[in-house]
Amino acid sequence: MIESSGRNPAEEAGESQHEAFGRDVTLTEFIIGEQRKVPHATGGFTALVNDIRLACKRIGNAVGKGPLDGIAGKTGTINVQGEQQARMDVVANDLFIRTTEWGGSLAAMVSEELDDVYVVPDRYPRGRYLLAFDPLDGSSNIDVNVSVGSIFSVLADPEPDAPPGPASFLQAGRRQVGAGYAIYGPTTMLVLSFGRGVHGFTLDREIGEFILTHPDLRIPTATSEFAINSSNARFWEPAVERYVDECLAGHSGPRGKDFNMRWVASLVAEAHRILLRGGVFLYPRDERAHGRNGKLRWLYEANPIAFLVEQAGGRASTGDGPILDLEPTSIHQRTGLVFGSTEEVERIERYHRDHNVRPFEAPLFNARGLFRDAG
Ligand code: AHG
Ligand code: MN
Ligand code: MN
C-alpha cells in the first residue's frame, strides 16, 4: 500500500525508499523520483536510463540462454582493440544500439565494438546526451559461464548544435551525468549512479522489473583483499610490485596482516564485489608494448567504474591520481586503473610517487626491510 503524503516518498529525507513506499521500489519509480529532484528536468535522461535498462535486460536474457541460442563462441573477427570478438559481443553491441538510438535522448555513441563514433541516424530525433558503453565486459568468460556485464557512461553533448564526433566524448570523467553497469551473474543486477550515491537493483524475473535491493552502497575505507592479474608481474612498475609483494608477505610482512586475492577477469564482477564488500583492484599500466597505457578502456570501462567508486566513497586512480580529473585524448584510449578502498588506493599512489623518483629494489619488504611500516 503506497502512503499518500502528496509527494514522491522517495524524496523524503532520512527515510529509506523501501519504508516510504511500504513495498519494493522499482527502478522506474526510482529514476522518476530522481528526475523530480532536478528542477526543469525534461525527462530525456530518465527516458535514456529506461532504454539502457531495457538493453541490459535484453542482453541479460541473451547471455542467460548461452549456447541454447546458437550465439556462443567467437565470430572470427577482430575489434578495434585488436581483440577476438565473441559472438555475444556483437549481439550485445547491436542490442545496446537498437534499444537506445530511437528514443530522442542521444546524439551519438561510442562502443568498444565499433571503430568510430556512431551518430544517431537522422530518422530519429537528436538528443543532448552521449553514451559510451562496453556492451559485454568480461567476454572471455562467457563460454565458461562466469559472470559478465555491460558498462555505460552518459555525458552531455558539449556542443548540441554541432555534429557530434570523437572530440565530443573527450571530457573528464567527472563530467559524467550518470554511469552504471549491469552484471549478469547468478542474479542480474543494475548498479548505477546519477551523482547522488550508488544504488543497486536486482532483476525480479517473475515481474520483469529491477527492484531496489542495495540502496546507497558504500565502499569500506580499509580492506585486506586485492585483485590483480599476477601473470603480468614481470612487467609491473616498481610501485605495483612493491604493493603486491607487501600484500603477499602477509602477517609477518610490512603490512602486518594477511591479504586475500581474487581475479575474475571481468571488470564488472570485480567492481561489484568491491562495491559490496570492499577491496582494491589494479589493472596497472605495465612494460609490455601494448600495456604501456594500461589495458582497460578509459571512456567506457575506467570512467564509469571510477564514477561509481567515488560516489560510493572509494577512490579511483591511474596510479598517480584521480582518473576522473583527466581528459582522454582518443575514444578508445586505454588507461591504468586502480580503484577501491580509499586507504589502499592512496597507498598505491604514494608508492608511485616514491618510485618515480628512485628505483625499486625488491625485495625490501621483510621484517627488517626499508618498507616496513605501521600501516
Ligand atoms: P572485455 O571483455 O570488455 O574486453 O574486457 C575485459 C577486461 C576486463 O573486464 C577485465 O578486468 C580484464 O579485461 C581482464 O584482463 P586479463 O585477461 O588481462 O586478465
Ligand atoms: Mn570490458
Ligand atoms: Mn567488452
Side-chain angles (χ1 to χ4, degrees), residues 79 81 83 89 111-113 133-140 149-151 297 300-301:
N79 69 11
Q81 315 290 331
E83 293 165 352
D89 280 325
S111 163
E112 179 185 335
E113 304 303 336
F133 62 96
D134 176 354
L136 197 62
D137 174 66
S139 58
S140 71
S150 304
I151 314 176
R297 280 54 58 111
Y300 39 82
E301 292 181 318

Side-chain angles (χ1 to χ4, degrees), residues 4 11 30 39 44 48 65 85 89-90 105 120 122 132 140 147 173 175 185 198 208 236 242 270 276 314 319 361:
S4 54
E11 294 170 9
F30 178 86
L48 174 59
K65 291 196 170 125
Q85 285 180 307
D89 280 325
V90 177
S105 302
V120 168
D122 289 341
S140 71
S147 293
R175 295 177 62 183
V198 181
W236 288 341
R242 173 183 171 190
E270 321 271 9
L276 264 70
E361 294 167 39

Side-chain angles (χ1 to χ4, degrees), residues 81-83 290 293-298 332-336:
Q81 315 290 331
E83 293 165 352
H290 60 277
N293 297 319
K295 171 169 186 188
L296 297 174
R297 280 54 58 111
W298 194 323
H332 293 295
Q333 189 171 354
R334 295 175 190 263
T335 177

Side-chain angles (χ1 to χ4, degrees), residues 11-48:
E11 294 170 9
E12 295 183 8
E15 275 187 59
S16 85
Q17 292 192 324
H18 190 280
E19 285 162 4
F21 275 92
R23 59 162 170 75
D24 290 341
V25 175
T26 67
L27 177 56
T28 305
E29 288 159 344
F30 178 86
I31 57 181
I32 290 174
E34 288 292 297
Q35 182 192 321
R36 288 177 183 161
K37 291 176 189 167
V38 180
H40 314 301
T42 61
F45 181 70
T46 302
L48 174 59

